[in-house]
């Protein structure tokens, strides 16, 4: 007997290059909150790829509460993003904050992320609806599920069906966590819409120690994958260090997921391999680690 | 003995043409949620002016939850806005939803309104900070007071000191009202910042019958004025009709305010008079109604 | 033209001895959070009476988050309560936390207060419904208005119609205030129920400087009165000192209310005078201060 | 490599008769919201026992928003409770709403449940602290985690260390679910306290279809077990039918848990077997179904 056979058909697939989202496999997008330098981003990118991440995340334009906080590298980050994406072969998801960034940012990212604070920025959504590039739409921390789905319709209604939702916690009275992760929203949206749904436990909890259990819970609740902050040196990160997993944390989590997903009738969706010499080496490492469960598709790695 | 002598100095003035905001007088911006047609907007504008409104509000670009809802007249509304503003002489406040609207919308409005859903749209705030036109910054329904003040600093920090804040209710668990009006935020912000603060009880409550008591409460809490939805035919309004005051409601409210404000050591701030023949007639009407209290400045109407 | 002529008829009166609640007059219940000693309680009680308070508040059984915090004097406070109530002649409102306290606590208080944390304690409500003593029912900080009214029906349905509601702020995401005072709930409940409604801005805001503007706003929103924490030495109070008004703050507030209420077509409801020699002296003081507006009933003081 | 080896030591055990709570095994308390009749309760009890439940739940005194709603059978339910508990051998958890119920209700239940609405009823908590019977303390839907743990200390501080916590959703702005299940609170409390933690997805979601994914997510987040509403005829239940699992739903869920838990290094904790003839039969059924994973303790059933 399968899991969720009626409720979660996993038939609503979306392709990011060769990577399938929402078809039963579980994808993991990982990387730093902000791209800080070439060295930082490359180191983290290669580490998460080795551990089994299938997408890369890294902020270029940041949304910060205070105007005097680090706002991301901006256009200075484009060349770094392009280089790291080229070397690893991983698709890159990064936040867009202004419709005028579409042509330039669009040339270096594979998925436009709409941050929680821009979920209601309908002008931006409409503009992205006129593009065909996939859009990762985070739920605003104050949005009802209905509003979140309605925001997704702004993109789809304007012509772009490639929308991935992302639950990242809602604002409540609780104070030990940054937000309250709403996993029932994941199950609800899987049952009532066509969109794949990721979960971002880093922003939801704001507390490193809570990220791992919430990742496992997200998988069990039926999420299609994760969006995770990972940093090689969280203590000196320019933003959100307190919630970033270390590389070691991330490896342990991927091991846990590799064991948990098959019990849910699912598998870790393999990401693209790097080009060149690193390719064979990584393929071997991943096969040895048996991190990818046997219930998934036959050919585990493609690029 | 005066009211709030230490806490609310009312020394933080801002000028909108001849109209002073935040100097102890109480301003009232009124009008329809959306500009629907020339006839509708002119009728409402003249009615609220006759009743004592000092600013005009009217949406041209609307932010709606659903992409299939009425989105405002858009550029088709510019000429109507310009005409009505010219005829009444009242400054116009209208929402901006995209930084690319600044040059065009800017030519027909006196105050750019940032709607609650765009309070976190920092790219828009920064762009408006490079303008000198006053900005009315609504509090997001999910924003802490700290975030709201930090958003105002995005505008001021970019060079535009002319920011007016507007409390319009926060999202809570309560369901009989659309949002929960947070009047303590008004008192807090008056004590801890330099910005004038208006209150929008129409969006905060979403219920016509609650608008009047909340207007009086806002005045008593120390607000610098109100932003109100008024419609001549609320039942057939294209947006938010259930919370709009009728013209008659609005007149009764202005009478109430005319009695209440002097007991708080304050006065209704008079708005500009219309040009031409209507001028003398309105001046007479308002004087007869004694709607403007005697404790205000000597020359009650200027234009 | 009067204020709220249709919405707030003020016809739903309730008598506390000679004191009328909900009939248009505005009552003020004031006193310390906790009764700490005879000297403390008597000093504060006499001071608030001199300033025009019509009821006395003072906690005997306290509800505290932590079991190691001061829990009130308990039965040791009964004799103090009785003595101060006798000397001032003011009705006393104090919190009941257990149905088993009804006979004993009931002999020293005039109004049983149900604290916010016990609003859902239906066994206690039903038991108080079998008594005839008035009940002051605070809204739980998590209660919808519907739940609050339903809780009041537990008391009334069990036979006791003497219920006074008290709004004291709801729990939201905002952090600079302890809770968010929901004044629209006051206007809503006045329009949709028969119960008088007080407002407690001390607990709602948790910040002394915000109490005064919220008191005035409560009056303007149509509340029937206030429940206020006042302490002669807030800095050394055993509970909630940071939100207590000083005696001087309280006097200034009563002055403000004395000016504001007549502009709302209302008046400060006079409380009983002390017995004995203090009586004539206080009557004279209050008359001189003209703190009681002329629009109220003819005979301002009764006892 | 085990799961949560450092964060969730599962060393904080508590015994309910032979049943161990918090030692790594996963317990499931199931049954109707309210005991409605002997037939109803026995039928459901036997069905959930056969499916692997280790405890029985069933309300006798109900907390209802409206005084005219069904309030539970009250004392009339005692004899039914005693009979069904005797026949199945399962420990019974049922809500206590008044300290005066301790002696009587205590003779028919094994665990006193404190409902969410009584979490702040400190008089009740203190009284239960003077008993030695285990207490299941639900988190109030408005309680911060700190307040919840502080409430548990009222019981423990008064002398009763046998406290089990239960997360059941918090009140937020979201409306498609009854409350928002806060699974990060489970992980937090496991890491920061000694108390076992159950999860009640029935009340948290209020929607039958969301219960199963939230049960699996709760297990993955590290909960020690579940508290579930199961009804043989949900459509005609006297309370909360819309969120009750059917018997068939419950069996499917237990199958899912039987597969999921071993992947988390855990197991379904077996409950007592019924006395008499039913004993051998049920032991055989459960063994055949292999519902109890092999990683658990050797002797799966004890009574």
């Amino acid at each position: 007997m399968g899991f969720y056979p009626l409720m979660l058909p996993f038939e609503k697939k979306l392709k990011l290059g060769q990577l399938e989202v929402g078809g039963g496999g579980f994808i993991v997008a990982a990387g730093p909150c902000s791209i800080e330098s070439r060295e930082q981003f490359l180191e983290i990118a290669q580490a998460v790829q080795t551990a089994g991440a299938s997408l890369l995340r890294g902020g270029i334009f940041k949304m910060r509460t205070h105007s005097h906080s680090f706002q991301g590298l901006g256009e200075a980050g484009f060349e770094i993003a392009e280089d790291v994406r080229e070397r690893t072969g991983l698709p890159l998801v990064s936040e867009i904050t202004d419709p005028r960034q579409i042509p330039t940012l669009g040339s270096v990212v594979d998925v436009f992320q709409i941050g929680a604070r821009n979920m209601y920025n309908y002008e931006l959504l409409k503009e992205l609806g006129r593009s065909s590039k996939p859009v990762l739409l985070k739920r605003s921390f104050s949005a009802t599920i209905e509003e979140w789905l309605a925001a997704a319709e702004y993109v789809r209604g304007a012509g772009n069906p490639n929308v991935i939702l992302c639950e990242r916690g809602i604002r409540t009275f609780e104070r030990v966590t940054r937000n309250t992760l709403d996993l029932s929203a994941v199950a609800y949206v899987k049952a009532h819409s066509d969109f794949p749904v990721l979960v971002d436990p880093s922003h939801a909890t704001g507390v490193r120690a809570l990220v791992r259990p919430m990742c496992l819970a997200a998988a069990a609740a039926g999420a299609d994958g994760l969006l995770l902050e990972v940093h090689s040196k969280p203590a000196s990160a320019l933003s959100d260090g307190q919630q970033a997993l270390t590389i070691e944390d991330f490896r342990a989590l991927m091991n846990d997921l590799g064991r948990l997903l098959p019990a849910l009738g699912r598998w870790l969706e393999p990401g693209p391999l790097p080009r060149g010499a690193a390719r064979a080496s990584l393929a071997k490492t991943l096969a040895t680690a048996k991190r990818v469960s046997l219930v998934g598709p036959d050919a585990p790695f493609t690029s």
Side-chain angles (χ1 to χ4, degrees), chain A:
Chain A
M1 176 188 172
F3 282 71
Y4 315 118
L6 296 173
M7 195 170 57
L8 299 170
F10 291 121
E11 289 163 357
K12 309 149 181 175
K13 301 170 195 174
L14 181 153
K15 296 287 268 187
L16 289 176
Q18 302 266 355
L19 183 67
E20 195 176 84
V21 184
F26 193 81
I27 64 163
V28 179
C33 177
S34 302
I35 297 179
E36 300 170 12
S37 70
R38 187 183 311 267
E39 295 62 36
Q40 173 250 16
F41 192 41
L42 185 61
E43 177 187 4
I44 297 171
Q46 289 177 331
V48 299
Q49 183 172 41
T50 305
S54 39
L55 283 102
L56 204 51
R57 63 154 291 160
I60 296 171
F61 297 105
K62 299 300 301 172
M63 299 282 282
R64 305 301 298 278
T65 299
H66 294 284
S67 53
H68 49 76
S69 303
F70 175 60
Q71 307 267 323
L73 291 182
E75 302 198 358
F78 286 180
E79 201 263 324
I80 299 173
E82 205 156 17
D83 180 34
V84 173
R85 180 181 168 227
E86 173 70 21
R87 290 213 217 178
T88 58
L90 292 177
L92 176 62
V93 51
S94 193
E95 183 165 359
I96 183 166
T97 61
D98 188 320
R100 296 170 296 186
Q101 295 159 352
I102 293 180
T104 52
L105 183 66
S107 70
V108 297
V109 306
D110 299 280
V111 181
F112 284 125
Q113 176 180 319
I114 308 285
R117 284 183 273 208
N118 269 319
M119 192 206 85
Y120 297 110
N121 185 343
Y122 300 134
E123 298 301 329
L124 179 58
L125 297 178
K126 282 187 267 188
E127 205 75 71
L128 291 171
R130 287 176 210 117
S131 154
S132 63
K133 202 176 274 291
V135 171
L136 180 74
L137 179 64
K138 288 196 158 189
R139 180 184 184 185
S140 162
F141 44 78
S142 62
T144 63
I145 294 172
E146 188 207 345
E147 289 175 334
W148 187 25
L149 292 174
E153 293 301 341
Y154 264 97
V155 180
R156 182 153 69 179
N160 184 351
N162 301 311
V163 179
I164 303 170
L165 301 175
C166 183
E167 158 65 26
R168 45 77 73 216
I170 57 174
R171 187 162 275 186
T172 69
F173 58 79
E174 180 51 59
R175 302 186 180 201
V176 301
T177 47
R178 181 167 168 168
N179 291 113
T180 298
L181 184 63
D182 182 6
L183 289 176
S184 51
V186 174
Y188 184 90
V189 162
K190 291 297 292 178
H192 290 82
S193 85
D194 300 291
F195 303 112
V197 187
L198 305 189
V199 170
D200 170 357
S202 308
H203 283 85
T205 64
V207 179
R208 184 174 306 117
L210 298 180
V211 171
R212 191 154 71 140
M214 290 306 102
C215 287
L216 303 183
D224 294 297
L226 297 169
L227 183 69
L228 277 171
E229 290 189 353
V230 177
H231 203 284
S232 46
K233 302 182 190 67
S236 55
L238 294 183
S239 54
D240 283 349
Q242 79 293 345
Q243 70 200 29
L245 293 182
T246 64
I247 303 291
E248 190 170 345
D249 291 335
F250 182 69
R251 277 192 210 113
L253 169 67
M254 293 302 281
N255 267 319
D256 291 355
L257 286 170
R259 282 174 60 177
L260 178 67
L261 287 163
L264 296 160
R266 302 180 60 192
W267 61 93
L268 262 180
E269 189 72 21
L273 290 178
R275 298 209 168 72
R279 186 185 186 83
S281 158
L282 178 56
K284 194 172 158 195
T285 305
L286 288 166
T288 308
K290 292 183 188 174
R291 214 165 276 122
V292 178
S293 79
L294 302 183
V295 301
D298 288 350
F301 288 93
T302 56
S303 74

